[in-house]
Amino acid sequence: EVKNDGDSGLPPGVLTLYEENAGLKGTAYVGDAKLPVLAAGEKRLVTYALDSKVTIDRNTSSDSQDGRVSISGGVLRVAQTVKEKTTYTIKAPPKEARMVIIEHPRRGDFKLVSPDPKEAEVADQYYRLRVALKAGEEKALDVVLESTVWQSYSMVDFSTHDFVSYASAGDRVDAKTRKLFEELADMRRKIDVIDQEIAKHERERETIFNDQARVRENLGRLQGKSDVQQKYLTKLSEQEDRLLILAEEVSAQQAKRDEALAELREYINKIEVAAE
């Protein structure tokens, strides 16, 4: 780390670094470094050599968790907290202490939450974190970045399972809001029951259609009048009557579903929940 404590700036150039060597009673060359423009009073980190005696391993992981919610105009907004954790495992040489500076990349809207941001030096693209190690010591440094983004969902498209999941969301929503989701789940279940009835009728209609195709094919093979032919014609007539009844039932169920969905939509659009 080089600080310009002079009265004027330094131009860009090359630094040659030497280290005092007590054994040789002199100095030893340790490396060259490129130095950018360094204004008076500013400081820079310069890289001049690789310290092969220090080992650093890095492991990263991330997770996300839904948090605060708000509801307005039929839209549910959920605050999703994303955490990225990087663990640096640093080991000093057996007989030498070290002060290691970890440069951890900064990322957009992500903020440093661990370690304490007050302990970090903020550069243009990095957080600089210092780790002091005794000779032979190994330390783990956990760097955690956190960002909160809002996700929006149309509640009228929610399934019963979606409503139930928020009704049992624990501390994520207050008791009053959980009660609202329970009521919405009940309203959605009524629509599910209607959907099941419609699906049952549609399956029966499909079965009849398939059977009619078979009956008509058999009729085509019969020549002239016969008891079997009359039996097939009677069956077709009965099936047509059943199809008319099923069509009426499906139409009635569909009207009932539209009414229940309109009631659910109206209820959702009236809900106002502010994020805490």
Side-chain angles (χ1 to χ4, degrees), residues 51-263:
D51 186 353
S52 59
K53 297 179 181 180
V54 176
T55 60
I56 302 177
D57 292 326
R58 182 177 65 180
N59 183 58
T60 61
S61 62
S62 64
D63 63 28
S64 62
Q65 183 176 4
D66 289 346
R68 297 168 294 155
V69 302
S70 69
I71 304 173
S72 181
V75 176
L76 171 71
R77 298 181 71 242
V78 181
Q80 188 177 67
T81 301
V82 180
K83 287 187 178 181
E84 292 190 351
K85 178 180 176 182
T86 303
T87 300
Y88 296 92
T89 304
I90 312 162
K91 187 173 183 179
K95 298 180 180 181
E96 301 175 38
R98 285 289 189 273
M99 172 62 75
V100 177
I101 298 177
I102 296 292
E103 287 191 330
H104 188 81
R106 299 173 63 191
R107 287 197 54 214
D109 295 331
F110 281 80
K111 305 297 182 184
L112 178 68
V113 295
S114 179
D116 189 340
K118 295 178 182 178
E119 300 176 1
E121 177 185 345
V122 180
D124 288 341
Q125 300 179 17
Y126 300 95
Y127 294 106
R128 287 181 179 150
L129 306 163
R130 296 174 182 267
V131 182
L133 298 107
K134 299 176 183 178
E137 185 179 15
E138 180 176 294
K139 282 186 179 179
L141 173 67
D142 291 331
V143 182
V144 180
L145 302 183
E146 184 176 284
S147 177
T148 299
V149 295
W150 288 88
Q151 303 287 345
S152 298
Y153 307 94
S154 174
M155 291 175 62
V156 74
D157 298 325
F158 273 19
S159 66
T160 301
H161 178 269
D162 293 329
F163 288 126
V164 170
S165 66
Y166 282 102
S168 56
D171 295 337
R172 285 193 294 157
V173 294
D174 58 31
K176 182 178 179 181
T177 305
R178 287 199 298 273
K179 181 66 175 176
L180 283 172
F181 280 112
E182 289 173 3
E183 294 172 358
L184 291 168
D186 289 339
M187 296 176 74
R188 184 71 221 190
R189 283 192 192 94
K190 294 178 181 178
I191 298 176
D192 292 342
V193 171
I194 297 172
D195 285 339
Q196 291 169 7
E197 287 296 314
I198 293 175
K200 184 178 72 173
H201 293 330
E202 292 292 354
R203 286 194 298 271
E204 186 179 351
R205 290 175 65 183
E206 185 66 24
T207 299
I208 292 175
F209 286 142
N210 292 335
D211 191 52
Q212 283 186 325
R214 181 186 61 82
V215 170
R216 290 191 176 95
E217 183 179 352
N218 290 338
L219 275 172
R221 295 197 183 105
L222 296 175
Q223 299 295 328
K225 294 183 179 181
S226 69
D227 292 340
V228 174
Q229 185 182 46
Q230 187 58 45
K231 181 180 178 180
Y232 281 149
L233 290 173
T234 300
K235 184 173 184 179
L236 283 175
S237 178
E238 291 172 350
Q239 287 177 330
E240 288 298 323
D241 292 340
R242 181 56 183 164
L243 286 173
L244 289 174
I245 294 173
L246 288 173
E248 291 174 357
E249 290 179 351
V250 168
S251 179
Q253 291 289 344
Q254 189 62 56
K256 189 176 178 181
R257 186 188 192 279
D258 292 342
E259 182 180 349
L261 184 59
E263 182 181 350

